[in-house]
Amino acid sequence: GSSVQEALHATTEVDHGPRVSADDPLYRALIDSPGPRGAAWEDRHLFACLLAVASQESCSVADALGLGAEDVAAILATWFPAFDPGRLKSSGEMAPTVNPEVLGILLSHVPDDGHGESVVAFWLARCLAARAAHPGHLWVAMGLFERPQLTAAIRRHLPSLAAANNKGMRWKRYLFKEACTLGGGVLCKSPNCGICSDYALCFAPEEE
């Protein structure tokens, strides 16, 4: 539908580098706080980035990530138990509207394993849908330092989604393309990606 096409058009906007860096005060406070034994650095980094970028916005951190306050509390307890939750903003303006089709696609890839891994996958799916509502590249909206970190997080926690995007399409474009297809729309008229003049909009090298 047109709303999907409008949202996808926003992915062509230029991002001026990552929104969170290793020097970000909130990121540093999170990542430097003592973590539980066995906690994966990659996941601490992922959620420290998400919490840091969400804290930059006018809505609450929970709303900015598409989560409930109880989810944010559980994320802190899981990876940052020594961090003071009072440092996170808990109120503010309304967050951007999440595309329900994109959210549905992401949630359909949450593994039903009955273990803690599925909870992390659920949090990531909700965050991806919320951050995809923002203009520009999804990895930037996620607060990540570089594009490959987004693919790595999806491979870790939403492996069936990673497998489905087997051509390496940019994640935001892939999600909105799938949402458009579900809605019966046609997002792209090109019969072949390789001959399309917009190829660079859909695909990007992971090191970019």
Side-chain angles (χ1 to χ4, degrees):
S2 60
S3 63
V4 171
Q5 300 218 21
E6 288 164 10
L8 186 53
H9 181 69
T11 66
T12 63
E13 295 185 15
V14 176
D15 289 295
H16 299 286
R19 287 179 54 185
V20 175
S21 73
D23 297 326
D24 180 275
L26 188 61
Y27 173 84
R28 279 263 64 92
L30 286 158
I31 210 74
D32 289 344
S33 67
R37 179 174 298 180
W41 183 89
E42 292 86 354
D43 289 329
R44 296 192 87 220
H45 171 71
L46 169 66
F47 284 99
C49 287
L50 282 163
L51 292 166
V53 79
S55 74
Q56 298 175 5
E57 294 171 8
S58 56
C59 56
S60 72
V61 166
D63 287 344
L65 299 180
L67 300 170
E70 69 282 358
D71 296 312
V72 174
I75 287 168
L76 291 176
T78 301
W79 287 293
F80 314 103
F83 179 80
D84 175 13
R87 295 188 62 177
L88 298 181
K89 189 164 50 175
S90 60
S91 63
E93 300 173 10
M94 291 289 291
T97 303
V98 173
N99 182 289
E101 288 83 11
V102 168
L103 177 59
I105 290 164
L106 286 160
L107 292 176
S108 74
H109 287 283
V110 174
D112 183 18
D113 61 5
H115 299 97
E117 290 84 353
S118 60
V119 177
V120 179
F122 171 79
W123 290 333
L124 177 58
R126 301 279 314 189
C127 291
L128 285 165
R131 304 313 294 172
H134 292 260
H137 297 305
L138 182 53
W139 69 271
V140 175
M142 295 282 284
L144 296 169
F145 294 3
E146 55 186 0
R147 185 190 304 277
Q149 293 177 354
L150 175 58
T151 297
I154 291 171
R155 283 177 178 156
R156 280 200 312 280
H157 298 298
L158 300 167
S160 65
L161 175 61
N165 184 14
N166 57 9
K167 300 283 195 302
M169 184 174 279
R170 292 178 192 253
W171 282 109
K172 187 171 178 181
R173 187 157 284 261
Y174 174 79
L175 291 168
F176 278 105
K177 177 183 74 70
E178 291 296 296
C180 191
T181 301
L182 281 178
V186 179
L187 196 61
C188 179
K189 302 292 195 294
S190 177
N192 185 319
C193 288
I195 61 172
C196 180
S197 61
D198 285 338
Y199 184 91
L201 296 179
C202 294
F203 299 91
E206 276 293 279
E207 65 272 10
E208 184 183 303

